[in-house]
Amino acid sequence: MSTTFKYRLRSPLGGLAADLTAEHRAPGTDAGKGFRLQIYRNVWLAPPRGINWRDAAWLSFGLSVHSSDLSAAHPDGLLIEVAALTFPLAHFRSEVAALAMDGWVRKEFDLPDRNLLVVYDSGSDGYRFQWGANSAPFSEEF
C-alpha cells in the first residue's frame, strides 16, 4: 500500500516542499515490470516514470543513506517503488527529493535520523543543505 510523506520547510523565501508517494515490497513480486536502480546490494529503487534525472539521483541518495539498515532488515531484498514525487515549482530544488525520500524511509521503517537537512541561509542561494556524515553528494571535485 502506498503512503505519502510531505516534506516542508518554511522560510522567508517561501520555503521548500515536496510530496513523495511510495510503497515497498520484495523485488521478485513485480516480475520485471518497469525500470529500477540498484542502490545497495539487495535494495532497489523504482523511480516514477518521466522523472528528471537530477530528481532521480537525489531520490537515490536519500535512499542510499539508509540502505545498509534496509539491506540487513530485508535479506531477501527490498524494492521501493515511487509512485509520485510532486512539488510546487517555486518551492523546489532537486536536493529536496533526497529529503523527502529520507523522511519517507524513516517514517515507513522507523529508522534513525541521519542528519539530512536544509536550513535557510540569507547567503548566496538562500538555502544550505547538510548531508549528515556523508560528504557532498555528486561533488565534481576529485
Side-chain angles (χ1 to χ4, degrees):
M1 178 165 91
S2 293
T3 58
T4 300
F5 179 81
K6 296 176 183 263
Y7 178 83
R8 302 291 186 267
L9 173 75
R10 303 213 187 287
S11 78
L13 298 177
L16 297 171
D19 295 351
L20 178 95
T21 301
E23 64 182 83
H24 62 88
R25 63 177 167 272
T29 59
D30 65 342
K33 294 179 186 175
F35 175 76
R36 62 173 88 168
L37 298 164
Q38 184 177 16
I39 302 302
Y40 177 84
R41 295 184 181 166
N42 58 348
V43 177
W44 298 82
L45 171 67
R49 294 178 61 93
I51 191 169
N52 178 282
W53 70 269
R54 284 184 180 102
D55 300 345
W58 284 106
L59 278 176
S60 298
F61 175 73
L63 180 56
S64 74
V65 299
H66 299 285
S67 60
S68 62
D69 288 339
L70 293 170
S71 181
H74 300 273
D76 293 332
L78 181 67
L79 171 65
I80 306 297
E81 184 174 8
V82 178
L85 175 66
T86 57
F87 46 85
L89 291 177
H91 301 287
F92 185 74
R93 287 181 38 175
S94 290
E95 294 94 327
V96 176
L99 300 173
M101 177 58 81
D102 169 61
W104 184 88
V105 168
R106 287 189 298 119
K107 180 181 172 189
E108 196 70 20
F109 297 100
D110 194 30
L111 293 176
D113 187 347
R114 299 285 185 222
N115 298 315
L116 275 61
L117 60 98
V118 61
V119 293
Y120 172 72
D121 184 356
S122 60
S124 63
D125 66 0
Y127 297 103
R128 186 170 26 95
F129 290 85
Q130 299 173 5
W131 304 116
N134 303 286
S135 60
F138 314 118
S139 172
E140 294 183 12
E141 295 180 27
F142 294 97

